[in-house]
């Protein structure tokens, strides 16, 4: 195992936005106010599933202080949505979950707006609500979208309430299962959880002529721009989206949501309009949620630990609308096999509609729940053959150069090394008091290769500016871009300013999602900086009368190698009046092939993982046996995210991700009532972990320099840190109480009830 | 009545405002936060009492202690005499919310908010505390035990200002404790809480009080649990019997925080831990504050 680097050896770069955020100087969207602005409120659905028979906004419009009231009748009827176009801005014929919006109001004060929203009259014919999402698949179940066939959609195996169906089939699982020494099966059910960023979202829209500027707390400014242009039927060039500092997102602010509503209200009100969500609204917002999931697993194993076959059936709660989450069925199927070698797999995975809140890309969507199920199951498999669970993983994790369960050849991966590193850091095998134990879990997550762009320009004072389309959601990924530009240009990271989060400035970028910012925008920045470097060298060749091969750029100057007096500063070159501006995008890497994609149902290109990120987590927990309360005492996280380009930033992702994962493991669960309304949409009863709950977290980076990946052989970093966390915690709990808790979160009551069943 | 805000400079001024229909705000951590959460709108007319010096501080009163209504949880949990002789109250104040909540939240607000889940109630009842009010007609004292009338309700009238909470000197050989079930280490709300005070003389329990939190519409004593302790040695068996009685005396509900069955079972666990801690302290043992933390996973 590689030794953990000392703190001094790590590259420490203080992020440029750090000081303003920490000192309170920084401005978030809700902090902005425009002259003449009025305030928006929404009228939400009164039922979670109903036909609308009448909407009358006249009383709301008549209230003094009201500037605009909009319903579906006042905006173009445009269905939209990332993978299935199943949403309208304002509900027209039906409401399908508690957060559906009937009307929007703009008024002089938020209080008047709320009053007016309540005055909108709506008549409904209630329909049966489906909140138990597994029953949505039953024959004859009430359709959530009766018009589903008419929607525009990607090809993902839709059928009524089934929004997506995906299979992963390789070898012959039935035949192989018969050759096993033991067959282990289990059912695991994960409740929904929430992204829960600390900043509830805020939006301000202002029109100037026929162009609108929208300041918004989104993770995806370009998707927001496209969304506004789509629903209001405008050219994209008429829409500018600016994101002030963002107070977190964790995926809940991905996708386009409310910018269109606010822009439409501002147009109707002829005033800038500001919307600020309450915590409750933030909790019930579409796509703020990590999907609930029911996972059934069956694994055949030989006495030597060889996994001969895996069968699985997954049902995933997509909620009332699809959004961009249509890939969940296939993604979850990939996590039902995990980073293990097995020849025979048969996975059936369903994404279904329900009348619950729509779920979307919360940090590594589908992975933590599926991984929690699989990793607990792996410990049960180990127990069935009397093998130590770490030893079982040692024998079954994918070896470098071998094939995954989908037949993808895994060239440069360090999953086995992460297992050893995590086991060593946590002290696996040590004697512990009988109410303490260690659990281990492994997982994986792909990197995403997409187009992305950046400009780099040099200024007359010798500084540089990175103009990027990338989005800083708090991860530090954008803040780390200067490290990459500085290295190419022989400058210091501190020499760069960043112009970002403005769709009129930077080139298109997917946004802060899919752990993709360093991976793709880092590449773009290096390309752009390289173009500027060439421009600098061109100029210096003439100025210094030297040939290119004799020049080097370092310490802010271009100089002739070996003659230090023959040099010219970058400031002098940039100040000469000739613009020094580079642009870049770079070649998007693609995953190597799997050998099964062609015969999988619902294939969306995920049967092979590009530059897979590999993870082993180990948790040391203490269980209060009498109450079932679990405290995580120590935690080890070993990651192969390829080459690490910004150590302090990468470590930060692990600290935060592990805390998020521990929350999802123990206390963070959304409970719906029988109609699909959240019972705990607030921070008192939706229990995030606090700083006091943080265990000691030890980190190891297995820096496998990865070909066909991000800058310098890096992979993504942001999502994996909460993938195997709950699995590790679950295995540790089971090691204390003698049985696995098969519901997530593993709340105190569930741990207590499970140990009661076990007669402890 | 039109909306008003008055920052009162004296008790008299505050009582006058209450008489005129205003409601008071101390630290605001219940009333303002509750308003923002949409639980209950702010009263139209508000009298802020944070500037009334006479309501501040913790002082000796005879052999006992007087807590000014504005004493914060932070002041209470760090007060040497509270920690030494009214330890159960320190256990409670030390776990209220977060550091920020404890710095702003007052004992007066905690008591008068009268939540069945509030933390200082059970230890105050076990320690025999009385609430001292000033109204238009003068002052009166009400035992905290008799104060709570229902969730969010007390028997005090709307124009009475709580000015202090009096703690009588505990009998020699008394120990007290408050323990609550906590899913996480901070920012919790009582799902189950139990306070206990036990007096031991010559190896026998001569007096005991046990009160339960978040297990009924009001915080209240469980006499059967107390009876199960008096006359015993206060050992494990006695504590277990009393804990079972405390659980039997509870009327828990099922909600998102826990089922009634779980809460009843936890009532017994928390009661046993509170009683054992109170006994240990009565015998001169050191169990560190807060007891909820130091008894975690105690078997
Ligand atoms: C994040 C958070 C966590 C919390 N955690 C806990 C916890 O763990 N345990 C717990 O018990 N509480 C908790 N609370 C609730 C609250 O902090 C406490 O109850 C606190 O003691 C209230 O005091 P206050 O001065 O802020 O009350 P205020 O909000 O000012 O007042 C509360 C009520 O009491 C009335 N009142 C106040 N003072 C007087 C007086 N002198 N005379 C008459 N009436 C009066 C007010 O009119 C109001 O109805 C928490 C609150 C928050 C926001």
């Amino acid at each position: 195992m590689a030794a953990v680097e000392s703190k001094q050896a790590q590259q420490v770069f203080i992020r440029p936005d750090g000081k303003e955020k920490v000192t309170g100087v920084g401005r978030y969207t809700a902090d902005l106010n425009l002259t003449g602005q009025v305030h928006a409120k929404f009228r939400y659905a009164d039922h979670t599933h109903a036909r609308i028979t009448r909407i009358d906004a006249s009383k709301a419009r008549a209230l003094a202080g009201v500037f605009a009231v909009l319903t579906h009748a006042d905006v173009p009827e445009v269905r939209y949505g990332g993978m299935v176009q199943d949403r309208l801005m304002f509900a027209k014929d039906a409401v399908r979950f508690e957060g559906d919006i009937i009307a929007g109001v703009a008024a002089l004060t938020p209080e008047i707006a709320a009053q007016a929203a309540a005055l909108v009259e709506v008549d409904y014919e209630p329909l049966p609500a489906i909140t138990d999402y597994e029953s949505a698949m039953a024959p004859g179940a009430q359709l959530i979208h009766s018009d589903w066939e008419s929607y525009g959609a990607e090809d993902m195996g839709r059928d009524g309430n089934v929004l997506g169906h995906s299979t992963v089939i390789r070898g012959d699982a039935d035949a192989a299962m018969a050759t096993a020494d033991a067959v282990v099966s289990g059912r695991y059910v994960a409740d929904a959880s929430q992204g829960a960023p600390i900043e509830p979202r805020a939006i301000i829209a202002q029109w100037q002529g026929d162009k609108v500027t929208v300041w918004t707390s989104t993770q995806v400014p370009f998707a927001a721009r496209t969304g506004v242009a789509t629903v209001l039927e405008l050219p994209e060039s008429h829409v500018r989206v600016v994101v002030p500092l963002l107070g977190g997102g964790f995926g809940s602010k991905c996708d386009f949501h409310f910018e269109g509503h606010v822009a439409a209200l501002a147009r109707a009100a002829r005033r800038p309009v500001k919307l600020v969500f309450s915590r409750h609204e933030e909790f019930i917002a579409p796509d703020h949620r990590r999907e609930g999931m029911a996972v059934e697993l069956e694994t055949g194993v030989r006495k030597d630990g060889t996994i001969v076959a895996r069968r699985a059936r997954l049902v995933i709660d997509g909620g009332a609308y699809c959004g961009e989450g249509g890939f969940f069925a296939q993604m979850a199927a990939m996590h039902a096999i995990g980073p293990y070698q097995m020849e025979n797999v048969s996975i059936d995975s369903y994404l279904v509609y329900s009348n619950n809140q729509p779920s979307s890309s919360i940090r590594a969507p589908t992975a933590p729940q599926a991984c929690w199920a699989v990793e607990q199951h792996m410990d049960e498999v180990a127990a069935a053959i009397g093998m130590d669970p770490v030893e079982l993983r040692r024998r079954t994790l994918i070896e470098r150069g071998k094939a995954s369960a989908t037949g993808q050849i895994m060239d440069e991966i360090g999953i086995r090394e992460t297992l050893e590193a995590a086991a060593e850091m946590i002290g696996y095998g040590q004697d512990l008091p009988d109410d303490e134990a260690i659990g281990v879990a492994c997982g994986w997550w792909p990197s995403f290769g997409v187009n992305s762009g950046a400009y780099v320009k040099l200024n007359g004072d010798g500084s540089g500016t990175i103009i990027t389309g990338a989005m800083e959601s708090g991860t530090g990924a954008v803040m780390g871009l200067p490290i990459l530009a500085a290295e190419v240009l022989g400058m210091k990271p501190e020499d760069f300013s960043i112009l970002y989060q403005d769709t009129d400035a930077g080139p298109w970028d997917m946004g802060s999602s899919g752990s993709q910012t360093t991976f793709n925008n880092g590449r773009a920045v290096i390309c752009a900086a390289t173009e500027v470097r060439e421009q600098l060298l061109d100029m210096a060749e003439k100025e210094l009368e030297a040939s290119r091969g004799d020049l080097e750029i370092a310490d802010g100057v271009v100089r002739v190698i070996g003659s230090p007096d023959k040099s010219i500063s970058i400031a002098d070159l940039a100040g000469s009046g000739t613009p020094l501006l580079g642009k870049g995008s770079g070649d998007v890497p693609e995953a190597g092939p799997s050998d099964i994609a062609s015969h999988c149902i619902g294939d969306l290109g995920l049967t092979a993982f590009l530059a897979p990120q590999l993870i082993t987590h180990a948790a040391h927990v203490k269980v209060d046996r009498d109450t079932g309360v679990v405290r995580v005492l120590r935690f080890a996280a070993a990651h192969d995210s390829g080459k690490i380009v910004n150590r302090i930033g990468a470590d930060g992702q692990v600290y935060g991700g592990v805390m998020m994962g521990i929350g999802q493991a123990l206390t963070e669960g959304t409970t719906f009532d029988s109609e699909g309304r959240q019972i705990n949409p607030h921070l008192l009863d939706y229990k995030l972990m606090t700083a006091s709950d943080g265990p000691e977290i030890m980190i190891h980076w297995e820096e496998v320099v990865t070909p066909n990946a991000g800058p310098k052989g890096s992979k993504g970093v942001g999502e994996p840190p909460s993938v195997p966390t709950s699995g590790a915690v679950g295995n540790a709990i089971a090691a204390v109480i003698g049985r696995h808790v098969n519901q997530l979160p593993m709340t105190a009551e569930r741990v207590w009830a499970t140990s009661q069943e076990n007669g402890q | 009545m039109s909306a008003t805000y008055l920052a009162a400079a004296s008790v008299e001024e505050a009582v006058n405002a209450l008489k005129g229909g205003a409601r008071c705000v101390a630290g605001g951590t219940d009333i303002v936060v509750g308003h923002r959460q949409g639980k209950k709108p702010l009263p139209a007319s508000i009298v802020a009492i944070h500037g009334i010096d006479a309501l501040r501080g913790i002082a000796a009163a005879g052999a006992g202690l007087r807590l000014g209504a504005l004493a914060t949880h932070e002041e209470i949990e760090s007060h040497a005499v509270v920690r030494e002789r009214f330890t159960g109250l320190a256990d409670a104040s030390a776990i209220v919310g977060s550091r920020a909540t404890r710095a702003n939240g007052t004992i007066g607000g905690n008591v008068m908010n009268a939540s069945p889940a509030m933390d200082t109630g059970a230890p105050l009842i076990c320690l025999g505390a009385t609430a001292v009010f000033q109204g238009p007609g003068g002052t009166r004292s009400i035992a905290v035990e008799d104060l709570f009338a229902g969730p969010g309700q007390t028997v005090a009238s709307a124009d009475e200002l709580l000015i202090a909470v009096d703690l009588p000197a505990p009998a020699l050989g008394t120990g007290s404790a408050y323990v609550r079930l906590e899913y996480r280490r901070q920012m919790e709300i009582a799902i189950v809480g139990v306070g206990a005070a036990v007096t031991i003389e010559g190896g026998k329990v001569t007096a005991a009080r046990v009160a339960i939190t978040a297990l009924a519409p009001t915080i209240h004593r469980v006499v059967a649990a107390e009876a199960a302790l008096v006359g015993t040695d206060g050992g494990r068996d006695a504590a277990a019997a009393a804990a079972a009685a405390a659980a039997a005396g509870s009327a828990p509900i099922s909600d998102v925080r826990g089922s009634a069955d779980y809460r009843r079972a936890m009532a017994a666990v928390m009661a046993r831990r509170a009683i054992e801690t109170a006994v240990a302290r009565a015998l001169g043992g050191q169990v560190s504050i807060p007891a909820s933390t130091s008894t975690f996973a105690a078997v």
Side-chain angles (χ1 to χ4, degrees), chain B residues 24 26-31 73 96-97 106 110 118-119 162 180 188:
Chain B
C24 75
T29 60
D30 270 315
I31 199 168
H73 295 290
V96 168
T106 65
N110 200 213
M118 71 87 142
D119 288 305
L162 178 78
R180 129 189 130 171
E188 265 305 355

Side-chain angles (χ1 to χ4, degrees), chain B residues 207-257:
Chain B
R209 281 195 175 199
V210 175
I212 57 177
T213 304
L215 288 162
T218 61
I219 297 168
H220 66 81
R221 285 171 64 185
V222 184
V223 178
E226 297 169 353
L229 286 169
V230 175
T232 71
D233 61 357
R236 285 186 77 94
D237 292 346
S250 69
I253 54 164
S254 286
D255 69 8
V256 70
R257 293 174 190 158

Side-chain angles (χ1 to χ4, degrees), chain B residues 18 23-33 49 55 69 73 95-98 101 104-110 112-113 117-120 133 160-163 180 187-190:
Chain B
L18 293 179
R23 292 289 148 264
C24 75
V25 56
T29 60
D30 270 315
I31 199 168
V32 180
V33 176
I49 59 170
L55 301 181
H73 295 290
I95 57 175
V96 168
S98 66
T101 326
N104 287 293
T106 65
I107 188 81
N110 200 213
M112 294 310 289
N113 198 55
M118 71 87 142
D119 288 305
T120 63
F133 291 89
E160 286 183 300
L161 183 73
L162 178 78
I163 55 173
R180 129 189 130 171
M187 300 294 279
E188 265 305 355
I189 180 162

Side-chain angles (χ1 to χ4, degrees), chain A residues 624 627 685 688 692-693 749, chain B residues 184 186 257 259 262 273:
Chain A
D624 184 344
T627 63
D685 283 314
L688 299 167
S692 313
D693 296 293
E749 180 165 357
Chain B
R184 59 182 175 189
Q186 258 199 50
R257 293 174 190 158
S259 69
Y262 178 62
R273 288 178 185 175

Side-chain angles (χ1 to χ4, degrees), chain A residues 549-574:
Chain A
D550 295 334
L551 294 177
E552 64 175 1
I553 308 182
D555 306 327
V557 299
V558 188
R559 64 192 176 208
V560 177
I561 299 165
S563 347
D565 51 324
K566 285 194 76 179
S567 76
I568 182 160
S569 73
I570 290 176
D572 285 343
L573 290 168

